[in-house]
């Protein structure tokens, strides 16, 4: 038989080595297991919740003009989905919602490392089928599983649902981003269009409050006449035609009497008495006296009318009232425009206030922060030394003011103060509008009254002046004929005809004065009609311009509002058309970590391996003499 070398170890030697270090080999795994058990007892339990989302590559979108069109969108890859849902904004949204509910776990509360810890607890898994679609076929949907680990099942469920809902919303918003941008631009344009429409309506109302278009039309119709009714101008023309006919008849009679006077001038009767001559002279003097008295009365009336006209000119205030009326109308228009702008500002600030109040109602005033006692390293060391395992799992709670709530509350107070100020300004403008409207109506009544008075006084003075000038001219004419009228002709027929001729001439003078006064009146009517026509034409042009501005502003506002409504319909129909939650998360009360038994077994195995290795190493390092003994 061959002998084994002395240095070679046998199985008995190995067993002897293990037997000599048996306590260490068995003690180290037990210590490792005990330490691991204690460590796992101090670790918080972890629960996991799962939700599934499906992203389809096609969507149905409502287009404008009452059309519905199915459009194929590019498929969303898992990498793109991960980039969207694992972004800082998505995790911050989940964190804010958990803070509002007071359910944010202690490890996630750190401002610097909280999001990193959340990202480690949030996991994604692609569950989509792997087969490739054939050409022309719709690719299969992307199915993604969302997993969240948290210290409690309820928190894990809340975080998972908040996360998957935010992810679905963000994915659905991707193809609608352009529509939302267009809608936001249209909202600004709609506010401007509404403002312009309100200003146009205010100008329209201010114009028709201040204008005298209807009164001028009624006065113009009364002066020119309607188709079924004769006007003042037509009546004056008819009266003038009648006076001209009477004047023509009187002038014809004067011509006939003048011819008879010429014939009788050559006839001298034999038996004429001086009494007859004296009677004829007396009649002539009486006719002259009547003409002088009539001339004096007409002059007196003319003087009185002229005095009335001068007195009216002294107290006339039409230019001042017109200037005041223009200023009041301008101020009324400015107040109306400002009131329209106030309505828009009040509506916008009211909407902002409602949104802030809604957000304020959802935001808690105090934040509840929880922290486990074992999270403090110093306290954890005390627990490990003293064995105070009963403190494990206890949490400390403290409350602090929510800065978001304070900011929203400040915004609400500021908006309420601004709304109160705008409401006071609106009330003051309404009172000012009522005051200005009363002054405008009063000035319009005064101006119309003075214009009528001015027209009447001017026509009366012109008529009296024309009558006086006619009588004065006739009186001077008769006075010039006095040298020729000596009644040296004893013919009584001649004397009678001469007296008739003088009366006819006086009648002619009266008719001429009436015709002159009527012509003056007609000229004043024509001037007034021309003024009314010019004012009516200008007012009609301004009314057409204001109506056109209102119509254009209304059409613009209607078009923008219709466009906004179409975009809202398109946006509403496109919601939840790309991604949707297939399976929401539910609480699962089976903990997934820590796995104590597995960790203890691993620690014992590792401890045993280290102990065996250490035993053989220690045996190898022993001196040979000690080994031989």
């Amino acid at each position: 038989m061959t002998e084994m070398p002395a240095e070679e170890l046998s199985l008995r030697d190995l067993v002897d080595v293990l037997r000599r270090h048996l306590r260490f080999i068995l003690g180290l795994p037990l210590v490792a297991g005990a330490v691991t058990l204690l460590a796992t007892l101090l670790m918080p339990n972890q629960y996991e919740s799962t939700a599934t989302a499906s992203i389809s590559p096609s969507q149905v979108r409502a287009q404008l003009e009452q059309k519905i069109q199915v459009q194929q969108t590019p498929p969303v890859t898992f990498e793109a989905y991960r980039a969207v849902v694992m972004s800082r904004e998505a995790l911050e949204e989940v964190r804010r919602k958990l803070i509002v509910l007071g359910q944010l776990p202690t490890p996630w509360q750190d401002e610097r490392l909280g999001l990193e810890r959340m990202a480690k607890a949030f996991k994604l898994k692609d569950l989509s089928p792997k087969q490739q679609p054939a050409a022309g076929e719709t690719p299969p949907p992307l199915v993604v599983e969302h997993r969240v680990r948290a210290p409690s099942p309820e928190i894990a469920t809340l975080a998972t649902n908040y996360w998957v809902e935010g992810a679905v919303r963000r994915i659905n918003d991707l193809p609608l981003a352009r529509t939302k941008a267009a809608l936001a631009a249209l909202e600004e344009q709609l506010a401007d269009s509404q403002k312009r429409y309100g200003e146009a309506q205010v100008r329209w109302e201010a114009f028709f409050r201040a204008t005298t278009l209807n009164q001028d039309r009624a006065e113009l119709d009364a002066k020119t006449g309607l188709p079924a009714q004769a006007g003042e101008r037509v009546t004056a023309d008819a009266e003038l035609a009648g006076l001209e006919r009477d004047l023509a008849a009187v002038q014809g009679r004067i011509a006939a009497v003048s011819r008879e006077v010429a014939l009788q001038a050559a006839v001298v009767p034999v038996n004429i008495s001086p009494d007859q001559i004296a009677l004829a002279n007396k009649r002539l003097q009486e006719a002259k006296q009547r003409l002088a008295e009539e001339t004096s009365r007409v002059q007196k009336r003319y003087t009185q009318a002229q005095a009335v006209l001068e007195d009216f000119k002294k107290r006339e205030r039409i230019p001042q009232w017109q200037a005041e009326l223009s200023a009041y109308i301008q101020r009324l228009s400015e107040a109306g425009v400002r009131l329209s702008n106030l309505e828009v500002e009040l509506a916008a600030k009211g909407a902002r206030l409602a949104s802030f109040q809604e957000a304020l109602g959802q935001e808690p005033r105090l934040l509840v922060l929880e922290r486990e006692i074992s999270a403090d390293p110093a306290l954890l060391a005390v627990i490990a030394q003293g064995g105070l395992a009963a403190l494990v799992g206890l949490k400390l709670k403290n409350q602090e003011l929510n800065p978001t709530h304070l900011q929203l509350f400040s915004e609400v107070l500021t908006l309420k103060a601004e709304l109160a100020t705008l409401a006071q300004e609106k009330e003051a403008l309404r009172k000012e509008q009522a005051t200005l409207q009363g002054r405008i109506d009063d000035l319009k009544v005064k101006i119309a009254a003075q214009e009528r008075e001015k027209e009447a006084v001017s026509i009366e003075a012109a008529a009296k002046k024309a009558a006086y000038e006619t009588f004065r001219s006739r009186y001077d004419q008769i006075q010039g004929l006095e040298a020729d009228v000596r009644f040296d002709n004893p013919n009584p027929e001649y004397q009678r005809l001469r007296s008739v001729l003088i009366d006819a001439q006086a009648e002619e003078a009266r008719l001429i004065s009436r015709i002159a006064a009527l012509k003056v009146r007609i000229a004043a009517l024509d001037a007034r009609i021309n003024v009314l026509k010019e004012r009516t034409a200008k007012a009609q042009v301004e009314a057409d311009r204001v109506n056109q501005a209102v119509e254009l502003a209304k059409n613009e506002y209607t078009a923008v509002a219709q466009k906004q409504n179409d975009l809202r319909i398109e946006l509403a129909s496109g919601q939840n058309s790309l991604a949707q939650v297939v399976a929401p998360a539910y609480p699962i009360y089976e903990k997934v970590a820590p796995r104590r038994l597995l960790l203890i077994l691993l620690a014992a195995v590792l401890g045993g391996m280290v102990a065996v290795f250490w035993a053989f190493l220690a045996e190898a390092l022993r001196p040979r003499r000690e080994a031989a003994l």
Side-chain angles (χ1 to χ4, degrees):
M1 292 181 61
T2 61
E3 296 183 355
M4 296 179 63
E7 292 81 4
E8 187 176 354
L9 295 177
S10 63
L11 183 59
R12 183 183 297 273
D13 295 332
L14 294 177
V15 172
D16 291 338
V17 171
L18 293 177
R19 187 172 59 242
R20 282 194 297 269
H21 298 280
L22 182 61
R23 291 183 179 180
F24 183 74
I25 293 173
L26 295 178
L28 185 60
L30 292 176
V31 172
V35 172
T36 304
L37 176 61
L38 181 60
T40 55
L41 289 175
L42 295 177
M43 292 173 59
N45 294 331
Q46 295 291 322
Y47 299 89
E48 192 173 68
S49 187
T50 305
T52 306
S54 174
I55 300 91
S56 174
S58 62
Q59 63 174 340
V60 178
R61 299 176 59 188
Q63 303 296 323
L64 300 182
E65 300 178 359
Q66 309 298 328
K67 295 180 181 179
I68 297 178
Q69 182 179 358
V70 178
Q71 297 182 349
Q72 187 74 20
T73 60
V76 179
T77 62
F78 180 73
E79 290 74 14
Y81 185 82
R82 176 190 291 275
V84 172
V85 302
M86 293 297 293
S87 62
R88 183 180 183 87
E89 293 78 10
L91 297 180
E92 279 285 358
E93 181 182 359
V94 178
R95 189 168 183 269
R96 285 196 302 269
K97 291 182 178 180
L98 292 177
I99 289 176
V100 170
L101 296 177
Q103 299 290 335
L104 186 65
T106 303
W108 300 353
Q109 294 178 4
D110 189 272
E111 293 293 337
R112 186 170 58 88
L113 302 176
L115 288 181
E116 295 181 5
R117 293 169 180 171
M118 286 182 65
K120 293 179 180 179
F122 286 52
K123 302 297 181 181
L124 292 175
K125 184 178 180 181
D126 187 6
L127 302 180
S128 306
K130 303 304 180 182
Q131 70 271 15
Q132 294 295 330
E137 292 184 358
T138 303
L142 175 66
V143 182
V144 181
E145 183 183 68
H146 301 70
R147 291 181 177 272
V148 176
R149 284 190 179 186
S152 70
E154 291 78 10
I155 295 177
T157 303
L158 287 175
T160 306
N161 286 328
Y162 287 153
W163 187 32
V164 72
E165 289 171 2
V168 167
R169 185 180 66 254
R170 283 178 169 80
I171 294 298
N172 285 327
D173 288 344
L174 290 178
L176 299 177
R178 183 177 299 178
T179 304
K180 287 186 176 180
L183 185 60
L186 273 181
E187 288 178 353
E188 297 179 359
Q189 185 178 356
L190 181 64
D192 296 337
S193 300
Q194 185 178 4
K195 181 179 178 181
R196 287 193 292 270
Y197 181 37
E199 291 177 354
Q201 283 184 324
V202 168
R203 293 192 188 96
W204 183 86
E205 293 176 358
F207 171 76
F208 280 99
R209 284 198 194 102
T211 187
T212 58
L213 179 60
N214 295 330
Q215 295 87 334
D216 292 344
R217 282 178 176 174
E219 185 178 356
L220 185 62
D221 292 339
K223 291 186 181 299
T224 56
L226 297 173
Q229 182 181 359
E232 187 176 355
R233 181 68 173 77
V234 177
T235 304
D237 287 339
E239 185 178 356
L240 179 61
L243 289 177
E244 288 177 349
R245 287 195 300 270
D246 294 342
L247 179 61
V250 170
Q251 288 177 348
R253 190 172 62 183
I254 289 174
V257 171
S258 298
R259 288 193 296 271
E260 289 293 331
V261 168
L263 291 176
Q264 293 294 329
V267 180
V268 180
V270 179
N271 53 353
I272 187 68
S273 64
D275 296 334
Q276 292 177 345
I277 296 176
L279 181 61
N281 284 325
K282 183 178 179 181
R283 290 178 178 175
L284 178 60
Q285 293 298 328
E286 289 176 352
K288 289 171 60 179
Q289 186 178 1
R290 287 195 301 270
L291 185 58
E293 291 176 354
E294 186 70 21
T295 303
S296 177
R297 284 196 299 272
V298 171
Q299 182 182 6
K300 186 177 180 180
R301 293 173 185 171
Y302 167 62
T303 304
Q304 293 176 352
Q306 195 67 24
V308 172
L309 180 61
E310 293 297 330
D311 179 67
F312 174 80
K313 288 181 179 180
K314 291 180 181 179
R315 58 185 177 83
E316 180 185 6
R317 296 190 59 190
I318 293 179
Q320 295 88 340
W321 287 344
Q322 289 284 2
E324 291 181 12
L325 182 62
S326 300
Y328 287 153
I329 292 173
Q330 180 67 23
R331 178 55 188 159
L332 182 64
S333 177
E334 293 175 356
V337 172
R338 178 56 183 162
L339 193 61
S340 176
N341 294 337
L342 282 179
E343 294 289 348
V344 176
E345 292 182 15
L346 283 171
K349 291 186 181 296
R352 287 185 58 195
L353 179 61
S355 63
F356 277 125
Q357 286 179 340
E358 182 180 359
L360 185 64
Q362 297 176 356
E363 194 74 22
R365 188 175 66 87
L366 298 175
L367 292 179
V368 179
L369 300 179
E370 295 183 355
R371 186 171 62 89
E372 293 185 1
I373 293 178
S374 58
D376 192 347
L379 186 58
L380 182 60
V382 173
I383 294 173
Q385 294 175 2
L388 302 177
L391 296 179
V392 177
L394 293 181
K395 297 181 180 180
L396 295 177
K397 290 186 178 181
N398 61 330
Q399 293 181 341
E400 63 180 22
L401 291 176
N402 188 358
T404 306
H405 183 278
L406 291 178
Q407 183 179 0
L408 289 174
F409 187 69
S410 176
E411 291 288 344
V412 168
L413 291 181
T414 304
L415 284 175
K416 285 185 177 179
E418 292 178 358
L419 285 175
T421 303
L422 291 178
Q424 292 176 359
E425 185 180 358
K426 178 181 177 181
E427 186 66 23
L429 284 176
R430 289 192 181 279
K431 291 181 180 179
E432 184 180 1
Q433 273 190 328
T435 304
L436 290 173
Q437 189 62 43
R439 293 179 181 177
I440 288 173
D441 295 339
D442 184 50
L443 283 177
K444 288 169 67 175
V445 171
K446 289 182 179 179
I447 290 173
Q450 278 214 343
E451 285 182 347
R452 289 193 297 269
E453 184 180 0
K454 181 180 180 180
E455 182 182 1
V457 170
S458 301
I459 293 176
E460 184 70 18
K464 294 297 188 294
K465 181 180 179 181
Y468 168 71
E469 290 176 353
T470 302
F471 274 98
R472 184 67 185 175
S473 175
R474 181 60 61 185
Y475 180 75
D476 294 340
Q477 182 182 2
I478 293 176
Q479 285 293 107
L481 294 176
E482 185 179 1
D484 298 334
V485 185
R486 297 292 183 180
F487 286 97
D488 50 356
N489 193 332
N491 188 353
E493 184 63 22
Y494 173 81
Q495 296 174 3
R496 185 185 67 80
L497 291 175
R498 190 71 175 173
S499 177
V500 171
L501 180 61
I502 293 173
D503 292 338
Q505 289 176 345
E507 180 68 20
E508 181 187 16
R510 285 193 293 271
L511 289 174
I512 290 174
S513 66
R514 289 180 62 186
I515 289 174
L518 189 57
K519 286 183 177 180
V520 170
R521 180 184 170 192
I522 291 174
L525 282 175
D526 291 339
R528 181 64 177 170
I529 288 172
N530 292 332
V531 170
L532 290 175
K533 286 182 177 180
E534 183 179 0
R535 284 169 54 179
T536 304
K538 290 182 179 179
Q540 186 62 46
V541 171
E542 184 68 17
D544 293 340
R545 187 185 66 82
V546 172
N547 289 329
Q548 186 178 7
V550 171
E551 190 66 24
L552 290 177
K554 180 182 178 181
N555 292 337
E556 179 186 2
Y557 174 73
T558 304
V560 174
Q562 182 63 35
K563 181 75 173 178
Q564 184 191 38
N565 189 32
D566 293 338
L567 286 179
R568 284 178 176 174
I569 294 175
E570 179 181 358
L571 188 62
S573 62
Q575 295 291 336
N576 302 326
S577 61
L578 186 61
Q580 57 183 350
V581 180
V582 178
Y586 294 97
I588 299 176
Y589 294 93
E590 180 182 356
K591 63 182 180 180
V592 294
R595 299 181 179 179
R596 291 188 177 87
L597 182 59
L598 178 61
L599 292 176
I600 292 172
L601 290 176
L602 288 176
V605 171
L606 290 176
M609 293 174 63
V610 171
V612 171
F613 176 76
W614 177 260
F616 283 108
L617 181 62
E619 188 67 27
L621 294 177
R622 288 178 60 190
R624 292 184 176 273
R625 186 178 297 174
E626 295 180 3
L629 293 177

